[in-house]
Amino acid sequence: MAAAAFVAAGPAQAQASSSGAAIPMGSGPGYHDPRSPFQPLQEVEGVVSWKLLSSVTVKADKSKVIPTFPSGVLALDKRTVKVQGFMMPLEPGDKQSHFLLSSVPTSCSFCVPAGPEGLVEVRSKTPVRYTLDVVTVEGQMAVLNDDPYGMFYRVTQAVPAPR
């Protein structure tokens, strides 16, 4: 299943301001329902912050959204980083080589809890067992300016990392 289906269905929508200026995308890293049985993610030293990732702004241009990344996000491009989040499988089975990490847990298997600023696409070296718990991976970050699936972030060559 392509990541595009998840991003296209997400709650974040690009909004054009009357001045044409870039404005924040969606609702930041997503909404953590206080009724959720899962605790919100805590900031961990050495792990990329969702606050940083969600600081992207966007402009709507005809049929696509153009992200503008702050310098702190651009500095992550092509670097080895650790990211943490809640796993959203993109493949069948209990082990995943291609999945999304979300800044908030999903509350519905058909819903996306965040827009592209609250998701990281992960391609792992070896399959990672699916879990409802927080997953931390380490790999090479790509900051995506014009991804055909609407993603802003991708981590490749990922391996599970201790938190």
Side-chain angles (χ1 to χ4, degrees), residues 7-8 12 15 21 27 35 39 45 47 49-50 52 63 65-67 76 85 94 101-102 140 146 148 151 154:
V7 175
Q15 300 173 1
S27 58
R35 298 168 294 178
Q39 294 297 313
E45 188 173 334
V47 175
S49 163
W50 283 103
L52 174 63
S63 63
V65 173
I66 301 169
L76 300 173
D94 67 337
L101 284 182
S102 171
Q140 184 169 16
D146 194 20
M151 298 299 298
R154 181 174 297 124

Side-chain angles (χ1 to χ4, degrees), residues 43-128:
E43 295 286 324
V44 176
E45 188 173 334
V47 175
V48 174
S49 163
W50 283 103
K51 184 177 180 181
L52 174 63
L53 293 178
S54 67
S55 64
V56 62
T57 57
V58 297
K59 286 185 183 180
D61 180 42
K62 298 181 184 165
S63 63
K64 67 181 185 175
V65 173
I66 301 169
T68 301
F69 301 102
S71 60
V73 171
L74 291 174
L76 300 173
D77 193 43
K78 297 180 178 67
R79 300 201 57 194
T80 299
V81 300
K82 287 183 185 177
V83 292
Q84 67 173 346
F86 297 94
M87 185 183 276
M88 296 177 61
L90 294 175
E91 302 171 327
D94 67 337
K95 291 192 174 183
Q96 303 288 308
S97 295
H98 184 209
F99 55 93
L100 299 178
L101 284 182
S102 171
S103 59
V104 295
T106 58
S107 58
C108 165
S109 58
F110 302 103
C111 303
V112 178
E117 74 281 12
L119 300 170
V120 173
E121 181 183 8
V122 177
R123 296 266 184 185
S124 64
K125 284 184 179 182
T126 59
V128 177

